[in-house]
Amino acid sequence: MLLKRNKTYKYNFSKQDWKKRSLLHFGSLGLMALKTSFIDTIRLKSATFLISRFFKKSVLKKCKFWELLNFNFPRFKKSSHARMGKGKGKFLKFMAYIRRGQVIFEFGNLSKSLLRSLFLLLKKKLGLKLKLITRI
């Protein structure tokens, strides 16, 4: 009689992996992405500029924020007149790959009501589905 052997895989994936990425490490409040997407350096720089301007306008100069993205995904593009083949193309820009449940920004010494108003501005600026999270 032959025994049925369990399949073994190189990687163990689970549907709950995104919950491990949604932990706060530095601050007490954070912004978490709810969908997987790409973001380029220009959009993130404009978001960090918006945050720093938001802190300067109010009396929140003691507040800190951390940006937790790595831009390690290069984008290349060929010219529109190029034919098929002939290589990869010129370097265009760096992009960051954001997974579902990944924390993008963390904030310290900031009240939840002020973060909520900043959250609405960042949601429009980044164009992502975001969620506010707190440290328990």
Side-chain angles (χ1 to χ4, degrees):
M1 184 172 153
L2 294 172
L3 293 174
K4 198 172 192 181
R5 218 173 131 187
N6 291 336
K7 282 187 175 181
T8 56
Y9 297 100
K10 189 175 180 182
Y11 302 106
N12 294 327
F13 296 107
S14 70
K15 292 182 180 179
Q16 303 299 324
D17 275 346
W18 66 274
K19 289 186 178 178
K20 294 175 188 174
R21 290 189 293 270
S22 63
L23 299 173
L24 293 174
H25 297 288
F26 304 108
S28 57
L29 297 165
L31 292 177
M32 181 177 76
L34 292 178
K35 281 199 168 183
T36 303
S37 64
F38 287 99
I39 189 170
D40 58 340
T41 53
I42 298 166
R43 280 170 49 192
L44 189 79
K45 280 182 184 179
S46 65
T48 53
F49 183 71
L50 184 121
I51 293 169
S52 60
R53 237 181 32 203
F54 184 81
F55 286 160
K56 283 180 187 175
K57 281 184 180 178
S58 56
V59 192
L60 302 170
K61 294 183 180 178
K62 293 181 182 177
C63 294
K64 290 184 176 182
F65 76 97
W66 292 270
E67 170 188 316
L68 304 172
L69 290 178
N70 291 331
F71 288 96
N72 52 4
F73 195 83
R75 283 284 188 179
F76 298 92
K77 188 173 181 182
K78 288 178 151 186
S79 65
S80 60
H81 302 293
R83 293 186 181 180
M84 297 289 284
K86 307 281 192 284
K88 199 171 189 177
K90 280 190 168 182
F91 172 77
L92 184 64
K93 58 187 169 184
F94 273 110
M95 310 238 351
Y97 180 67
I98 299 174
R99 294 186 196 98
R100 182 179 137 212
Q102 185 175 353
V103 178
I104 299 172
F105 292 110
E106 288 190 24
F107 300 94
N109 301 332
L110 185 65
S111 67
K112 202 168 184 179
S113 60
L114 285 170
L115 183 62
R116 199 172 297 275
S117 60
L118 180 64
F119 169 70
L120 295 172
L121 295 171
L122 284 174
K123 203 172 181 180
K124 290 178 185 176
K125 185 65 77 173
L126 291 174
L128 300 171
K129 283 195 173 184
L130 299 173
K131 180 182 174 183
L132 286 173
I133 55 172
T134 58
R135 179 175 283 179
I136 299 171

